[in-house]
Amino acid sequence: MYRTQQRLQTILSRKGVVGLADPCANYFQRNKKHFYGGIIVMCIFAVIIPSTIITTSKKFVEILPSGGSGEEFRDYKEFHDMIESENEQDKNNEDSYNSFGKCTISKPMHPHAPMNPILVASFPGSSSDLMRLLIEATTGIWTSARLFRDDVIAIKTHFPYYEHHIGVDEVDPPRGIVVVRNPLETLETFYDFIEQATNENNNKASHTAWISWRDAHFDDQMQHWESFMRFWFDDENLDADKRHIVFHYDLVDEKTGPAEVTEMLKFIQKVSTVPREIVWDEIPCLWQRVVHFQLLQAPNPTRRFLREELEGEGRYSERQYLHHVDSLPKHRNLRQEIEIEEVVDSHPHSYVQLDRVAAILTQMIEDYAHDQRILQALIKYRMNCLEKMHKYIGEDPVLVSNDRGSCMVTTPQYEPMKPMFQASYPGSGSEMMRDVLESITGIKTAETTRRTDVIVVKTYYPYRHFDLQPGIMNRDMKKVILLLRYPLHAIASNFNHIYWNEHNLDHNKQPPIQAWDKWRDEHFEKELKSWAAHLNFWTQNFKPSHRLVVDYESLTDDDKGPRDVTRLSFFIKSTYNEGTVNPAPAFTLPCLWYRAVKMKDEIKTDIFQDNRYHTNGNYQPMFTNQQLEMAATELSNLHVKYSSDRRIGVTIQRYWEHTVLQIKK
């Protein structure tokens, strides 16, 4: 009998349980394989589980600068491995340099004394690790991620998107570098990272997979993106002087990238102490080495394609990659150099989703109009979004929704009809008015010359003599939509367009103040009289029942704007009472107004005027006391003339009052 069975019998006998001894002995005899098998399995688990924990912890610590909490991403470790390898090669290679010179990225170190780290805040997918690598390369001090540490110069955080990440309440005083990126690019990159992290076989994500993820998460992610940006832009969460904003498109652009890094380092020096000396002359070279590597590693499919191509040719090293980039055509920024053009967008969005993004950006533009850098970036993001929308829209109507309700968006068409005049002094928002009319009628508009298949023809006559005008040739054009704008703002806006056209510039940079002062003093009196002459001409040639007067200030006002669009709709119905034109239903007009006036306004007009009563740009166009008095006198005379006209008289009086208040006593 087995020794175990004997012991069991002895124990049971001592306790007076004799009857169970034999059954138990028989059980062990029959199932001894199960018994020993269980013991063996327990032993295996006892060895494997601790071994696994130790091994995992070892690997976990290896990819951190000096251990700690939070796992680093693969690209972060690959960069440091690559730099160490490149530096070894540089010792025996005197020709190791890039277009900005020669530099060496030293292995970062920890500070000798504890530090209060700076937060590097970014929404997931905004290249936050690029910022970390740039900080480490230029300061020589380690950074970290997610959780607080006092032996690093900066900590990456996605708070409040991830609530467990370090926030402003965990550092005293809080200082932050906020990385801002186009939300469409951010979500695309975030999705690519998710696919890369969860795809064990590293297979390229399918178009269907992107569509599925996009439709399931797009609205929520855009809400998170907006909330994230508002949190870090809010002065109550982070003082403006303790916050430095970096825009991704500037950071990766060859023309602006080194300067962006320089400004970031100046901010770090201002709010913190950098233990090691910064070599300012090497910043452009260090920038190029870091950014080239990071963009090559990025999960965007176009960049992944280039990486695979280089790996296939055995050229996947930083130095060989830079040689490949240098061989590409010049005069293109860095992103354009490394991104191969695609015939089909690898991450398409639906028109409704793009419209939603444009609406979010529009509201943020309104809220952050006081900050020029944020404003310029948001407008650029929205312009990119609207360009995508323009490519996608077809003849079929699309139902969209915004804060003002729902409406059908259609592509304007040419329809046979007798058009109306759309008259305004230059700089009064004529392109915005065209957008409004096309939105509510679905019919094209035209400019300058007569057509018989549009709803209106825009004209500056008599300011511009070759524009379309009333007369024998256009006697069938019996009605006019007259758009007014406060003359001083219209004159300043007109100057911007003149300056841009003369210098062949885009409408995204304010002309020098010296150019404005010179032009204003030379042309003010003439322009003021032209503004008044324009108003007089159109009111004299069209009786009140044949004209509709709309002022820019009311049309862009949140409350009055939708009402003005309703007036336009009724005026069009009365003009084409035979049923040729049927404007959009009244309940959809607020939605259409919002899209035409708020979302699309800055695409075709300048952003540096007192639009919606806020000031943008480097300066607000000002006028001398003499010029203000001249304008007040002209407006006073016009008010007397139009006092009986309920619309024009009230508008002119408001303009006069605004002018008088600006005169310095």
Side-chain angles (χ1 to χ4, degrees):
M1 192 174 286
Y2 292 101
R3 184 176 301 175
T4 303
Q5 297 171 349
Q6 293 175 338
R7 291 186 60 191
L8 180 59
Q9 285 180 335
T10 303
I11 294 172
L12 291 174
S13 298
R14 289 175 182 174
K15 294 183 178 293
V17 186
V18 179
L20 291 178
D22 289 336
C24 287
N26 294 333
Y27 174 83
F28 280 110
Q29 182 70 26
R30 294 193 306 270
N31 300 282
K32 59 183 178 181
K33 293 182 179 179
H34 295 171
F35 178 74
Y36 291 120
I39 294 176
I40 293 172
V41 170
M42 292 176 63
C43 292
I44 292 174
F45 273 104
V47 173
I48 291 179
I49 291 176
S51 175
T52 302
I53 295 175
I54 294 172
T55 304
T56 304
S57 300
K58 182 179 180 182
K59 291 181 179 179
F60 182 75
V61 172
E62 283 178 351
I63 62 175
L64 292 172
S66 61
S69 300
E71 183 178 357
E72 299 292 1
F73 295 134
R74 183 195 66 186
D75 292 349
Y76 181 82
K77 183 176 185 295
E78 283 185 356
F79 174 81
H80 286 290
D81 292 342
M82 180 272 295
I83 287 300
E84 185 175 348
S85 174
E86 294 284 344
N87 287 341
E88 288 295 325
Q89 297 179 36
D90 290 346
K91 294 179 181 179
N92 302 318
N93 188 355
E94 297 181 357
D95 296 328
S96 176
Y97 62 92
N98 59 40
S99 58
F100 287 102
K102 183 176 181 179
C103 56
T104 300
I105 299 180
S106 303
K107 183 177 181 180
M109 59 179 290
H110 290 290
H112 298 296
M115 296 188 68
N116 183 30
I118 298 171
L119 301 180
V120 178
S122 67
F123 190 84
S126 300
S127 299
S128 53
D129 277 336
L130 172 61
M131 291 300 305
R132 292 183 59 193
L133 295 173
L134 285 169
I135 293 173
E136 291 174 352
T138 52
T139 65
I141 306 298
W142 280 116
T143 64
S144 186
R146 304 175 186 84
L147 303 178
F148 179 81
R149 293 178 58 169
D150 62 2
D151 59 349
V152 294
I153 194 171
I155 301 176
K156 177 184 80 172
T157 179
H158 295 321
F159 184 88
Y161 183 86
Y162 292 130
E163 294 183 353
H164 65 279
H165 279 206
I166 185 172
V168 293
D169 295 335
E170 299 180 54
V171 288
D172 186 25
R175 290 86 38 85
I177 297 172
V178 184
V179 184
V180 182
R181 190 175 186 182
N182 185 325
L184 295 177
E185 292 182 4
T186 299
L187 294 189
E188 294 164 8
T189 305
F190 188 29
Y191 167 76
D192 282 329
F193 167 75
I194 293 172
E195 284 295 318
Q196 188 182 63
T198 58
N199 190 344
E200 296 180 358
N201 298 324
N202 201 28
N203 295 327
K204 184 177 179 179
S206 67
H207 175 82
T208 304
W210 157 251
I211 297 297
S212 177
W213 185 91
R214 180 201 70 184
D215 292 343
H217 301 285
F218 188 86
D219 289 343
D220 288 342
Q221 292 301 319
M222 274 308 307
Q223 290 179 3
H224 288 313
W225 182 88
E226 180 184 7
S227 299
F228 181 93
M229 292 303 159
R230 289 185 180 278
F231 177 89
W232 289 100
F233 290 165
D234 192 341
D235 292 344
E236 293 185 1
N237 296 323
L238 193 63
D239 292 340
D241 60 341
K242 299 296 178 60
R243 176 180 60 231
H244 181 72
I245 300 177
V246 177
F247 298 100
H248 184 267
Y249 60 80
D250 285 334
L251 188 64
V252 300
D253 192 300
E254 201 167 47
K255 297 179 181 178
T256 58
E260 282 294 314
V261 175
T262 301
E263 291 301 314
M264 177 188 67
L265 291 173
K266 290 180 179 178
F267 169 78
I268 293 175
Q269 283 192 327
K270 183 182 76 171
V271 300
S272 182
T273 301
V274 182
R276 299 178 68 174
E277 183 179 358
I278 297 175
V279 183
W280 298 96
D281 293 341
E282 291 187 357
I283 289 177
C285 175
L286 295 171
W287 168 87
Q288 189 174 58
R289 293 193 69 181
V290 173
V291 172
H292 275 176
F293 172 84
Q294 183 70 10
L295 288 178
L296 187 62
Q297 294 291 323
N300 183 286
T302 56
R303 285 170 284 218
R304 188 187 301 131
F305 173 79
L306 177 57
R307 175 180 176 178
E308 291 169 354
E309 180 186 41
L310 296 179
E311 286 176 331
E313 298 178 8
R315 294 190 289 124
Y316 185 49
S317 71
E318 184 204 23
R319 186 176 299 109
Q320 292 164 326
Y321 167 66
L322 294 181
H323 174 74
H324 174 79
V325 170
D326 291 337
S327 67
L328 295 173
K330 301 302 179 182
H331 309 297
R332 300 168 66 191
N333 65 40
L334 184 59
R335 282 181 55 82
Q336 291 173 326
E337 286 178 352
I338 67 164
E339 289 186 357
I340 298 175
E341 294 183 1
E342 292 181 286
V343 177
V344 180
D345 189 354
S346 62
H347 291 88
H349 300 84
S350 71
Y351 187 91
V352 174
Q353 290 167 341
L354 293 171
D355 189 86
R356 176 60 180 158
V357 175
I360 290 174
L361 293 172
T362 296
Q363 187 57 55
M364 293 182 70
I365 287 170
E366 294 288 327
D367 296 340
Y368 297 102
H370 59 278
D371 190 307
Q372 184 189 0
R373 294 192 71 226
I374 295 177
L375 178 69
Q376 293 273 18
L378 293 175
I379 288 177
K380 183 175 290 189
Y381 298 156
R382 186 177 64 177
M383 188 175 299
N384 173 260
C385 188
L386 292 175
E387 288 173 353
K388 288 178 178 288
M389 291 169 64
H390 181 72
K391 295 177 182 178
Y392 292 162
I393 189 65
E395 295 183 2
D396 295 333
V398 179
L399 178 64
V400 299
S401 299
N402 53 47
D403 294 340
R404 296 284 174 162
S406 300
C407 52
M408 298 298 293
V409 179
T410 60
T411 302
Q413 305 294 320
Y414 291 107
E415 299 286 348
M417 64 178 57
K418 298 174 183 178
M420 297 182 290
F421 290 101
Q422 179 194 302
S424 64
Y425 172 89
S428 299
S430 58
E431 292 299 318
M432 178 179 65
M433 176 60 81
R434 292 180 64 186
D435 286 334
V436 169
L437 293 171
E438 290 183 349
S439 296
I440 67 175
T441 65
I443 301 174
K444 285 280 192 178
T445 62
E447 181 176 1
T448 305
T449 57
R450 170 67 186 268
R451 294 184 63 132
T452 57
D453 55 0
V454 295
I455 188 74
V456 297
V457 178
K458 171 183 135 181
T459 177
Y460 292 148
Y461 189 87
Y463 182 87
R464 203 162 60 184
H465 291 286
F466 57 81
D467 276 13
L468 190 69
Q469 59 180 291
I472 189 67
M473 299 298 295
N474 300 308
R475 60 183 179 274
D476 58 337
M477 297 177 66
K478 300 183 181 299
K479 293 193 176 183
V480 61
I481 297 174
L482 178 58
L483 179 61
L484 301 180
R485 187 181 185 182
Y486 178 54
L488 301 189
H489 290 166
I491 290 171
S493 179
N494 188 26
F495 159 72
N496 285 343
H497 288 274
I498 292 173
Y499 185 88
W500 289 325
N501 291 335
E502 289 179 349
H503 294 80
N504 195 28
L505 299 174
D506 292 331
H507 297 185
N508 59 3
K509 185 174 183 180
Q510 191 174 30
I513 189 171
Q514 298 83 357
W516 156 248
D517 290 340
K518 183 176 184 297
W519 184 91
R520 176 202 64 193
D521 294 342
E522 292 176 355
H523 297 87
F524 180 79
E525 184 174 0
K526 176 185 175 184
E527 294 296 322
L528 181 64
K529 291 185 179 300
S530 296
W531 186 91
H534 185 277
L535 170 62
N536 290 330
F537 174 85
W538 290 99
T539 55
Q540 291 169 4
N541 283 274
F542 290 85
K543 56 186 179 181
S545 61
H546 284 195
R547 68 177 185 243
L548 178 70
V549 179
V550 180
D551 64 273
Y552 177 93
E553 292 75 22
S554 293
L555 186 60
T556 57
D557 183 79
D558 287 344
D559 296 324
K560 299 177 182 178
R563 293 200 294 269
D564 277 340
V565 173
T566 303
R567 291 175 59 234
L568 281 167
S569 178
F570 285 142
F571 184 71
I572 292 169
K573 282 183 179 180
S574 67
T575 301
Y576 300 97
N577 53 17
E578 66 274 15
T580 307
V581 180
N582 294 306
F587 72 90
T588 67
L589 295 179
C591 170
L592 293 170
W593 166 84
Y594 183 85
R595 298 187 77 262
V597 174
K598 298 291 185 176
M599 283 174 52
K600 299 175 69 176
D601 181 21
E602 284 86 358
I603 298 302
K604 298 178 181 177
T605 61
D606 64 275
I607 64 172
F608 303 103
Q609 300 309 307
D610 200 11
N611 297 348
R612 306 181 188 89
Y613 307 105
H614 63 244
T615 303
N616 302 317
N618 297 318
Y619 64 89
Q620 183 179 10
M622 302 298 291
F623 299 85
T624 65
N625 257 22
Q626 182 181 0
Q627 292 165 346
L628 291 171
E629 291 172 356
M630 189 184 305
T633 301
E634 187 69 47
L635 290 169
S636 178
N637 294 334
L638 290 171
H639 180 257
V640 172
K641 181 176 181 179
Y642 294 103
S643 58
S644 61
D645 189 304
R646 293 173 57 187
R647 187 75 186 186
I648 299 178
V650 171
T651 301
I652 296 298
Q653 181 179 1
R654 189 172 73 247
Y655 291 166
W656 175 80
E657 292 174 350
H658 187 66
T659 305
V660 170
L661 291 175
Q662 297 180 69
I663 299 175
K664 299 178 182 178
K665 298 180 179 179

